[in-house]
Amino acid sequence: MSTTAVHSLWTTAAVEPLNKIPAPHIEYTQLSPVLIVVGAAIVSVLLEAFVPRKGRYVAQVFLSVLALAAAFAAVVALAAGGYGTTKAQIAAMGAIAVDGPALFLQGTILLASIVAIFTFAERRLDPADHGHKVDSFAAEAAAVPGSEQEKAAVKAGFTTTEVFPLALFAIAGMLVFPAANDLLTLFVALEVFSLPLYLLCAVARRKRLMSQEAAVKYFLLGAFSSAFLLFGIALLYGYAGSVSYATIARVVDGAVVSVNPALADTMGNDVLLLIGFAMVLTGLLFKVGAVPFHMWTPDVYQGAPTPVTGFMAAATKVAAFGALLRLLYVVLPGLTWDWRPVMWGVAIATMLGGAIVAITQTDIKRLLAYSSIAHAGFLLAGVIAATPDGISSVLFYLGAYSFVTIGAFAVVTLVRDAGGEATHLSKWAGLGRRSPLVAAVFAVFLLAFAGIPLTSGFSGKFAVFKAAADGGAGALVVVGVLSSAIAAFFYIRVIVLMFFSEPKADGPTVAVPSALTTLTITAGVVVTLVLGVAPQYFLDLANQASVFVR
Amino acid sequence: MENLIALLVGAPLLGAAVLLCGGRRLDKSGHWLGTLLAAVSFVIGLALFADMLGRSADDRAMYQRLYTWIPVEGFQADIAFQLDQLSMTFVLLISGVGTLIHVYSIGYMEHDERRRRFFGYLNLFVAAMLLLVLADNYLLLYFGWEGVGLASYLLIGFWQHKPSAATAAKKAFIVNRVGDMGLSIAIMIMFTTFGTFTFGPVLASTGEASQGTLTAIGLMLLLAACGKSAQVPLQSWLGDAMEGPTPVSALIHAATMVTAGVYLIVRSADIFNAAPDAQLVVTIVGAVTLLFGAIVGCAKDDIKKALAGSTMSQIGYMILAAGLGPIGYVFAIMHLVTHGFFKAGLFLGAGSVMHGMNDEVDMRKYGGLRKYMPVTFVTFGLGYLAIIGFPGLSGFFSKDKIIEAAFAKGGTEGWILGAVTLLGAAITAYYMTRVMLMTFFGEKRWENDPDGNPPHPHESPKSMTIPMILLAVGSVAAGAYFEFAGFVEWLEPVTGFAHGHSPLSAATVTAATVAVMVIGVGLAYLQYGRRPVPVVAPRGSLLTRAARRDLLQDDFNHAVFVTGGTHVTRSLVYVDHTLVDGVVNGTAAAVGGLSGRLRKLQNGYARTYAVSMFGGTAVLIAATLLMRAV
């Protein structure tokens, strides 16, 4: 770089008056779903500060559900207004895309969040402690487990209503994540939804040490993965001279718009592109729980309060797959031949790894964690299709899977003994004789996980496998079907255990939940069966929503 | 008029639905409803027949399409009917004889507490049988084919409290499955060859298929016919089927269902015409069965089983005629109809005898019944004369034509087939005379029933005798009516007809037929009329003993299929247990072991997890770069 060039850079900058920086133009209407949730989260924090302790629970639950419902209504209104198809656009100065996949996934996240919030608000499962109703969360999260301070908090009937603002912030981040249209927004969204989740994992009322351990592990590994992501972003910036998806895509295609003089040495260097891509991919694969970035999943799923596990397993997966789809389809379509083989390997390892290790699990929450890993693998198969059908099948699968997951974890919260939830599988023996309805509902969810026809699991799996096969990934489908067969073993094993084993004398009791959890489980069953029996409408919806704006 | 065709099937189907679902409240009236709806079918059949007669010979076929049954791209199956002269003949036979037998059953089943159900099954049978003959495609025909199989199963095992009846029903069902498989394979070959299974297109395009394909279709259709029509080698179920109530034996196992095989072959005439090898096999099956059934019929002491042997033998005549091609199709159907009359009449007569003899079936314990049951004696006697081919009665006309056609086949084949049919006629005369003599003549050999009550033979009620009389009229007059009213011209547009060139003149054949009939009657008279009939059957010759055991058919089936099948099953079970289970369990153990190992990687330390991520990222980067390098 010549000295004159440097000089002129300086002089140009000096001549430009500061007030020429244009004020960002924000499309409030198109961004309303996110804005409503962020606004509600802020109000929610204020509620914590100003509403008396007694009234906080009601106020928080009311506000959260209302905000989420309003945000969902906004999504529906946007979709009805054509923002998912013809009027798809990039809003907020190129930071956020408003298009079909974004709206579809935001809608899915919001619906899943509403039913998840119901399980957050459940206060009937445990008997009242010192005359106060208790939920799944610690009386005072900051108190050392087993300390006098904790006992005092329990006695005073404290509850951690902070989970609601935390959840709202997490949801806000998740809404932005699949819509992010530049790498920085992507990163910010990731952190916005990850940090509250780390905290939420730590606040279990029972088994608090395990919960805290899970949170620390999640935080450490999450930070580690964020570092990879951020480094990857830096490398991609170095390659393209921009963090905007559109610009990167153009540079990848060879159409260099303008060379940033400061980056003249690095721009267009494919090594930067490939390494940067792999590192960004690491960050996203960590969030979806793909092998070998999955190891946090079982520990965190097991340790976190079960309502949080359900929320996290469903909503995080939706958001992360949304971001992954956008990265692969919008930013790097020119790189398809580079990323496909790598993703093949990841998908195969994820499907087989999840299914195989799940076989020997003895804890129902860990079992569901490995199951979610296997499902991440099936979803990756759809992503790899690299066709519009691939997008729509993944969208559909995510919608179907979220409800099954939240429903299944909600059922887990019901089966309890003296130590809280009875998650060891041996405790579930003979549940079908004691509580036929609960066992039957759980069996429906397990069958859906296994992909048995007439459940949403079958429709979803069929859609992604078909897309993968049509997209030239036939071998992947074979591995997927084999993994499904392995996975069917442990799902069916639980059903056999519930219905064909003698109940144990000291077996768990099934708590009678309030209307909230009942609603969550009912929604899960209904969606599972409707998407299984009559999936066409929703497949069409996913199909219409499968075009990314560039 | 076409729109009435569906009602032919619909009326008895409605009856079956109402009677089987209606419950006890229909116990008192159900049999009337069933009979009425069968009669409705018959009346509609007559109306359609009148309409058909009013048209020119080329314009008689009627079609009705209800709806598309299986609407799959490239695989269209319609619920559609075709009513031509051939179907019309069957419709009248099925609904006419069917109605008479419904009436007969009102009296015969009077004391059975499950009579409503019986009539439901009978209606189901009539509906399925009409569907079979009215279908305009092979798939719908198959539906009816299975329907009559089901009805037959239900009715043979109607007295399911008797283990023998339950076993017989099962046997009929299983043996029929073998034949049904033939039909389904034939339909599959048709579909792959012609792309359709509708009669019109399939039969019109036989020229496009290879000889081998047509022979295969023909042989598979023959297999189906063998099962349903109790032809060798699938004949074994018919004798046992006599465990069913006698009206069932008369309607299903004599007059109608067992002739479905003949219908199938005649309906598929174009296929057989183009496949001479298949045709030859058809004639062989017919010839073998007609002798087989006749020999079995000679040895049976059970009146119904003797008649069952006779049925088998007479259907053998029809199959043989159908195998002769255009010179025989019309006569096969003609014999089928006349046989429907006289054989149904004979069975009803046998039922009437049993009704009066405490349900005794052993003819050695009858004797001298003509004085006690005059109406039964006369009607049975007319049926007897008809079946042995007494000049002027219906069997004479129809059987004589078949014998003529057999000779007209020409060459050595013609001589052999002619001789066989003549021999069959002689044996027919012999065993039927035997039945007649043992039942109605000679001294009384009656025995008390197990409770010690002596039999009080008496004439049956009107509801039973009137159908017998009407059928006797048919037995007497049907042959002459067909002969002089032009049955050949009636059926020719559908089945085609060719005059054979017999090496013997018609008069010679007729004379020979009458001669062998007289010989058969004479032999039987010498053996059973002149000498007293022993109450306990004599040991008999080797052939007699074999014939009593149905010529060892069950022993053969047991030795070859049951024993052989058991061995095959056992070997397969062994392979399944060792090889298949070994592979499956081995895989499961391997996966389980792998799972146990991989699980240990998940040791709970965040550092291990971080290393895994680090390694994973390194591999991702390396792989991505490597892909580009390659």
Side-chain angles (χ1 to χ4, degrees), chain A residues 217 221 224-225 228 270 274 277-278 282 286 292-293 295 298-299 335 338 341-342 346 356-357 359-361 366 370, chain B residues 591-592 594-596 598-599 601-602 604-606 608-614 616-617 620-621 623-625 627-628:
Chain A
K217 278 182 189 164
L221 296 169
F224 194 43
S225 85
F228 278 116
D270 276 356
L274 295 173
F277 154 72
T282 297
F286 174 82
F293 313 102
M295 299 188 88
D299 291 17
L335 221 54
D338 291 289
V342 180
V346 174
I356 289 176
V357 183
I359 287 178
T360 44
Q361 298 305 314
R366 283 183 88 82
Y370 281 104
Chain B
V591 172
L594 190 61
S595 175
L598 287 177
R599 195 184 164 192
L601 294 177
Q602 189 82 23
Y605 292 117
T608 315
Y609 301 176
V611 167
S612 156
M613 285 172 62
F614 184 81
T617 313
L620 273 193
I621 292 172
T624 316
L625 292 175
M627 279 305 139
R628 180 57 68 92

Side-chain angles (χ1 to χ4, degrees), chain B residues 80-91:
Chain B
F81 303 115
Q82 170 182 334
L83 181 66
D84 56 13
Q85 291 91 320
L86 178 61
S87 300
M88 193 72 237
T89 311
F90 272 89
V91 165

Side-chain angles (χ1 to χ4, degrees), chain A residues 269-329:
Chain A
N269 184 334
D270 276 356
V271 176
L272 287 188
L273 169 68
L274 295 173
I275 298 178
F277 154 72
M279 289 185 143
V280 171
L281 203 58
T282 297
L284 295 178
L285 290 177
F286 174 82
K287 281 293 164 202
V288 305
V291 175
F293 313 102
H294 68 290
M295 299 188 88
W296 60 278
T297 323
D299 291 17
V300 175
Y301 277 28
Q302 188 186 14
T306 308
V308 175
T309 312
F311 167 62
M312 188 162 69
T316 311
K317 199 151 270 179
V318 178
F321 265 105
L324 186 64
L325 277 176
R326 195 176 292 277
L327 180 78
L328 295 178
Y329 284 68

Side-chain angles (χ1 to χ4, degrees), chain B residues 108-361:
Chain B
Y108 191 84
M109 300 297 284
E110 195 175 357
H111 303 297
D112 197 305
E113 57 188 27
R114 291 161 74 232
R115 180 165 65 169
R116 171 182 57 84
R117 186 180 290 266
F118 180 80
F119 275 84
Y121 291 159
L122 274 190
N123 268 358
L124 177 67
F125 168 76
V126 171
M129 188 72 203
L130 288 171
L131 181 67
L132 195 165
V133 298
L134 284 170
D136 92 325
N137 61 70
Y138 281 97
L139 202 65
L140 192 58
L141 178 146
Y142 186 63
F143 191 85
W145 189 269
E146 294 294 324
V148 295
L150 169 69
S152 160
Y153 166 81
L154 292 170
L155 285 165
I156 294 171
F158 186 72
W159 287 321
Q160 65 221 87
H161 53 86
K162 287 200 294 184
S164 57
T167 313
K170 205 155 54 171
K171 185 176 179 184
F173 198 81
I174 292 169
V175 175
N176 266 292
R177 294 313 304 161
V178 179
D180 296 348
M181 189 123 94
L183 184 51
S184 64
I185 294 173
I187 295 174
M188 290 180 220
I189 303 177
M190 271 176 212
F191 184 73
T192 47
T193 312
F194 305 113
T196 174
F197 29 66
T198 307
F199 290 149
V202 168
L203 298 176
S205 50
T206 47
E208 297 164 15
S210 72
Q211 186 74 38
T213 311
L214 291 172
T215 307
I217 297 176
L219 289 178
M220 285 297 125
L221 289 175
L222 175 64
L223 181 65
C226 283
K228 201 56 89 191
S229 295
Q231 299 294 294
V232 175
L234 297 178
Q235 80 291 359
S236 66
W237 62 274
L238 188 63
D240 298 77
M242 296 301 130
E243 287 291 339
T246 306
V248 172
S249 311
L251 176 62
I252 303 186
H253 304 118
T256 54
M257 184 191 84
V258 284
T259 58
V262 182
Y263 171 78
L264 184 67
I265 293 176
V266 174
R267 175 57 78 193
S268 314
D270 290 314
I271 293 173
F272 283 97
N273 290 345
D277 293 341
Q279 260 185 334
L280 179 64
V281 181
V282 173
T283 53
I284 293 171
V285 165
V288 169
T289 311
L290 87 85
L291 290 180
F292 188 106
I295 292 169
V296 169
C298 293
K300 290 288 182 186
D301 291 332
D302 178 328
I303 185 169
K304 285 177 71 182
K305 292 200 171 166
L307 290 177
S310 158
T311 302
M312 209 184 277
S313 166
Q314 297 301 313
I315 298 172
Y317 272 105
M318 303 168 207
I319 295 279
L320 186 148
L324 295 173
I327 57 174
Y329 292 133
V330 176
F331 302 127
I333 299 300
M334 185 162 150
H335 192 54
L336 190 155
V337 177
T338 58
H339 174 257
F341 283 116
F342 59 67
K343 187 50 68 60
L346 287 169
F347 265 109
L348 294 192
S352 177
V353 169
M354 287 161 58
H355 198 68
M357 293 294 287
N358 291 342
D359 286 330
E360 179 60 66
V361 290

Side-chain angles (χ1 to χ4, degrees), chain A residues 223-257:
Chain A
F224 194 43
S225 85
S226 293
F228 278 116
L229 182 74
L230 201 53
F231 196 14
I233 289 174
L235 292 177
L236 286 182
Y237 178 75
Y239 166 77
S242 166
V243 289
S244 151
Y245 282 6
T247 314
I248 300 174
R250 275 202 295 277
V251 179
V252 171
D253 288 341
V256 179
V257 185

